[in-house]
């Protein structure tokens, strides 16, 4: 599964629109859209917000975190 697919899975599992999810994690709708289409990835602050959201709502975050960390490692190589 890709990062974009995983972030979309988390949002859909919570039965939220992109706009509602964006409000939950304090970003714009267009930011969530870019994440889900694979154009960008969240920065560290956004990842912390997503993690907080997932913990508060009992949604698995581990897979998303691993995909994000892998992409960060690849970007540095």
């Amino acid at each position: 599964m890709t990062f974009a697919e995983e972030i979309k899975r988390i949002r859909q599992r919570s039965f939220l629109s992109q706009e509602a999810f964006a409000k939950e994690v304090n970003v714009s709708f267009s930011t969530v859209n870019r994440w889900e289409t694979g154009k960008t990835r969240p920065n560290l602050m956004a990842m912390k917000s997503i993690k907080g959201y997932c913990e508060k709502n009992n949604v698995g975050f581990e897979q998303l975190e691993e995909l994000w960390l892998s992409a960060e490692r690849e970007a540095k190589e």
Side-chain angles (χ1 to χ4, degrees):
M1 182 171 283
T2 67
F3 182 88
E5 292 168 335
E6 185 64 15
I7 196 95
K8 186 174 184 178
R9 182 195 65 80
I10 287 172
R11 178 182 61 78
Q12 289 178 332
R13 187 172 214 168
S14 300
F15 300 102
L16 295 175
S17 66
Q18 287 181 341
E19 186 172 354
F21 184 69
K23 286 180 184 177
E24 289 286 335
V25 297
N26 299 313
V27 298
S28 69
F29 157 78
S30 61
T31 298
V32 172
N33 184 269
R34 287 192 303 267
W35 294 343
E36 290 188 7
T37 57
K39 293 178 182 168
T40 62
R41 289 188 322 270
N43 61 22
L44 183 59
M45 292 299 289
M47 284 299 289
K48 287 180 179 182
S49 292
I50 295 166
K51 183 176 184 177
Y53 171 81
C54 289
E55 289 173 347
K56 182 175 84 173
N57 294 284
N58 199 30
V59 177
F61 177 76
E62 297 77 21
Q63 181 68 23
L64 183 70
E65 183 176 40
E66 185 55 42
L67 289 166
W68 187 80
L69 290 171
S70 294
E72 288 295 306
R73 283 191 290 267
E74 288 175 15
K76 290 180 180 179
E77 293 177 354

